[in-house]
Amino acid sequence: VEFPELKGYDLKRWAAKELKSAGITQYGEDEVNLLLQASEGSLDRLYQLIEHAAIFASDGKITTSELSSLFHLETETDEFT
């Protein structure tokens, strides 16, 4: 599958569309940003991450905690907390 080159808002919008297509309807901006970070700018990788997350999403919901555990990612923390 060949993917177009997307950046910024268009990339976030594409990710949101793919999340919904995969059956994940309950997520926030943090979840989208974490997936974008994990994909390192690769739409192919982003698509794979979303498909993988959809397998583990319960009732169409996914959280940053679940994504972090699933893909062994570290979420960014505020250095002042």
Side-chain angles (χ1 to χ4, degrees), residues 4 12 18-19 27 31 44 46-48 54 57 73 76 80:
K12 286 184 179 186
E18 290 302 316
L19 282 164
Y27 60 89
E31 287 75 24
D44 183 48
L46 180 57
Y47 178 80
Q48 291 173 2
L73 303 172
E76 292 182 18
F80 299 106

Side-chain angles (χ1 to χ4, degrees), residues 6-36 39 43 46-47 49-51 53-54 60 62 67:
L6 300 174
K7 294 183 181 187
Y9 176 75
D10 290 332
L11 183 57
K12 286 184 179 186
R13 194 172 71 186
W14 185 88
K17 180 178 101 20
E18 290 302 316
L19 282 164
K20 288 178 183 168
S21 292
I24 302 173
T25 56
Q26 296 180 40
Y27 60 89
E29 189 173 339
D30 289 341
E31 287 75 24
V32 172
N33 288 334
L34 189 59
L35 286 166
L36 293 176
S39 70
L43 282 183
L46 180 57
Y47 178 80
L49 291 171
I50 290 170
E51 290 297 309
I62 196 82
L67 289 172

